[in-house]
Amino acid sequence: MTAPKQMYYEKRAQILVQNLRSRHFDACYCATAQEALEQALAWVPEGASVSWGGAMSAQQIGLMDALHSGPYHPLDRATCKTPEEMKQLYREALSCDVYITGANALSLDGQMVNIDGTGNRVAGICYGPETVLVIAGMNKVCDTLEEAICRARTVAAPMNKLRLGDGTPCAVSGSCGDCKSEQCICNQIVITRHCRPVGRIKFILVGEDLGL
């Protein structure tokens, strides 16, 4: 990454960390994926039950591999063999010790926007797991909440549908069609603007481009 981009991310992260903490989130900035991995593991107690949803950024920093190989109890939907097993795992994930997720977008004033098709990911963010750990590249940060919502719908959602290979209008055109498709990924749009209890949701902002 070029020095100007690194400096840009660092300066914006200083603002964002301060604003997240003012909203009672815990937050820190890590310049590299390796630093982010070390910080994430410091926030996951040994023996903890851990699950995740829509966490490409966490995968990219190596967190899932570390959880599978370490002293933790991962609840991984990739191990499910039937739809019934996956439904049961989604329910168990809502009572896990640590829930890991990414962010579709963040506003510089400290609000997070997530868009979901099934709802299991945003459900875990809102309620249930003891701790929620958000891994977010600084490429997800927008100046305003309105821009963050726009990013979630017009950037993150179409790219995720292209990744999944579903034939929604946005996967065909690359642009949000405000659809009502059966395969729509924009069924829930959740803005997380404040943390209660204090510190339950923890952010690791990473000075790299991660996720979609």
Side-chain angles (χ1 to χ4, degrees), residues 53 110 155 171-172 176 186 189:
V155 178
V172 174
C176 177
C186 304
I189 302 173

Side-chain angles (χ1 to χ4, degrees), residues 26-139:
D26 203 346
C28 69
Y29 173 72
C30 295
T32 68
Q34 181 59 38
E35 292 176 16
L37 174 60
E38 293 170 3
Q39 179 60 62
L41 292 174
W43 273 341
V44 180
E46 290 190 4
S49 58
V50 189
S51 194
W52 50 84
M56 284 184 63
S57 299
Q59 281 187 320
Q60 289 173 328
I61 68 170
L63 182 53
M64 277 53 177
D65 290 339
L67 293 172
H68 277 291
S69 62
Y72 312 100
H73 299 291
L75 304 174
D76 186 351
R77 65 185 178 186
T79 64
C80 296
K81 296 181 175 62
T82 66
E84 290 73 23
E85 286 184 11
M86 187 168 291
K87 286 181 182 179
Q88 181 60 33
L89 186 141
Y90 281 168
R91 295 188 183 98
E92 292 175 6
L94 293 176
S95 60
C96 70
D97 297 316
V98 181
Y99 191 77
I100 297 165
T101 184
N104 293 134
L106 292 162
S107 60
L108 201 57
D109 69 353
Q111 301 185 71
M112 175 171 63
V113 179
N114 279 292
I115 199 162
D116 212 349
T118 303
N120 62 294
R121 182 170 64 105
V122 295
I125 292 170
C126 293
Y127 185 78
E130 188 73 18
T131 296
V132 176
L133 182 55
V134 182
I135 313 294
M138 288 299 295
N139 55 305

Side-chain angles (χ1 to χ4, degrees), residues 191-210:
I191 299 168
T192 307
R193 61 171 298 276
H194 190 262
C195 186
R196 190 175 72 180
V198 173
R200 173 181 174 264
I201 301 176
K202 304 179 186 301
F203 286 87
I204 298 177
L205 307 173
V206 189
E208 298 187 10
D209 292 349
L210 298 175

